[in-house]
Amino acid sequence: MKGIFKSTLIGFCAVVLWGMLALLTAFTGSIPPFQLTAMTFALACFAGGLYFVYVGCPFAILKQPLGVWLNGIGGLFGYHALYFMAMKKAPTLEVSLIAYLWPILIVLFTTFLPGEKLRLQHLVGVIMGFLGIFLLVIQKGQPSLAGEHLLGYLLAAACAVIWSLYSVVSRRNKEVPTLMIGFFCGITACLALLAHLTWEVTVIPQGIEWGAVLALGLGPVGMAFFAWDYGVKNGNIKLLGTLAYMAPLISTLLLILAGHAEFTWNVALACICIVSGPLIASFK
């Protein structure tokens, strides 16, 4: 049990780091999305490569089945690429809400894993978490699922499916070393660079923007993916799925502290829902 608790805690570190994503991204100025993705994932790959050399890991670990590579690259690049496209096809509020269905899907999909059972408290926990996200979203405006944005909604839903499948399949492939994340990040950076050169105009970061890019590459985009991989492979994946709803709450609270958002009753109610979700889901 101690090992599972430690692994779950490591996985939760990824959630905390993802909670810093919005604030750090706000300091990256007008850097285009795919350029930012390429830069930050390249940093994550570089950091992973240094650790790879430091621990003396053999290159034999690269001999993984094709499915492992497809899951890793599809999860990291696929999620981000579809998310950016969804943002261009539909309003931010609706995209955020739909894309954040992935914790619920993780809890549901884990029922197909050996030794995992879906219990009532798991469902109640993720529903409480999603209710909290809904409260955070509607404070910024009233979501409206308009028909002309259908493609954007479908892309956002695909994001949720991709990340949840990536996480659950990673759990199934427990024998794949977490160090492989560094190579997945490297390929993701290359694909993002290709997308950037195809669709975007390069913007050179200035001043504090360089620091924000570095922090993103080492934190929410770097260490977070390694921590998440280790957590879903060795920890309580259902509890992690519920804890994932803490990320947007942490993000909102940090934005409030930084003066980029205001504290409202919606935020207070969201705090209650999101914090109670993991507590309910952890009941035996």
Side-chain angles (χ1 to χ4, degrees):
M1 286 297 294
K2 289 182 65 176
I4 294 176
F5 175 79
K6 178 183 177 182
S7 300
T8 304
L9 187 61
I10 291 173
F12 179 63
C13 288
V15 176
V16 175
L17 289 170
W18 288 332
M20 303 176 185
L21 184 64
L23 183 60
L24 290 174
T25 301
F27 288 105
T28 60
S30 58
I31 300 175
F34 279 114
Q35 179 187 339
L36 184 61
T37 301
M39 295 174 72
T40 52
F41 272 94
L43 283 168
C45 174
F46 179 72
L50 289 179
Y51 187 72
F52 182 90
V53 173
Y54 175 75
V55 298
C57 192
F59 280 95
I61 71 166
L62 297 179
K63 294 180 180 179
Q64 301 292 337
L66 178 61
V68 171
W69 286 97
L70 291 177
N71 184 59
I73 298 167
L76 296 183
F77 178 74
Y79 175 84
H80 290 84
L82 291 182
Y83 185 78
F84 292 143
M85 286 190 281
M87 284 292 192
K88 292 185 177 182
K89 299 292 183 181
T92 302
L93 295 180
E94 288 86 337
V95 169
S96 299
L97 193 61
I98 295 172
Y100 234 87
L101 287 170
W102 65 261
I104 293 178
L105 294 178
I106 284 180
V107 174
L108 295 177
F109 289 164
T110 52
T111 58
F112 297 102
L113 292 173
E116 296 287 346
K117 292 182 179 180
L118 182 63
R119 303 185 187 280
L120 179 61
Q121 66 265 31
H122 298 138
L123 285 175
V124 174
V126 292
I127 290 172
M128 289 291 290
F130 186 73
L131 176 59
I133 298 302
F134 181 77
L135 290 170
L136 288 178
V137 168
I138 63 173
Q139 72 164 338
K140 302 173 186 177
Q142 188 64 43
S144 175
L145 299 179
E148 65 266 25
H149 302 308
L150 179 60
L151 179 57
Y153 302 149
L154 292 175
L155 290 171
C159 288
V161 173
I162 285 175
W163 190 254
S164 55
L165 285 176
Y166 162 77
S167 301
V168 174
V169 172
S170 294
R171 169 70 168 222
R172 191 175 185 86
N173 297 330
K174 294 177 65 172
E175 72 285 352
V176 178
T178 292
L179 277 173
M180 285 293 298
I181 296 296
F183 295 98
F184 299 152
C185 286
I187 297 175
T188 297
C190 293
L191 292 173
L193 177 61
L194 180 61
H196 164 64
L197 295 175
T198 302
W199 294 307
E200 298 175 339
V201 177
T202 301
V203 174
I204 305 300
Q206 303 295 324
I208 195 173
E209 294 174 0
W210 282 112
V213 170
L214 180 63
L216 281 169
L218 297 180
V221 179
M223 190 185 304
F225 291 118
F226 289 89
W228 182 254
D229 184 80
Y230 188 86
V232 298
K233 286 178 177 175
N234 302 285
N236 185 330
I237 188 171
K238 287 190 178 69
L239 182 56
L240 273 176
T242 309
L243 287 168
Y245 281 118
M246 295 289 287
L249 175 61
I250 294 170
S251 176
T252 301
L253 294 177
L254 287 175
L255 289 171
I256 290 172
L257 290 173
H260 292 283
E262 295 183 2
F263 190 83
T264 65
W265 280 109
N266 276 16
V267 174
L269 290 173
C271 287
I272 295 172
C273 290
I274 293 173
V275 171
S276 63
L279 294 176
I280 294 171
S282 63
F283 286 161
K284 297 296 184 180

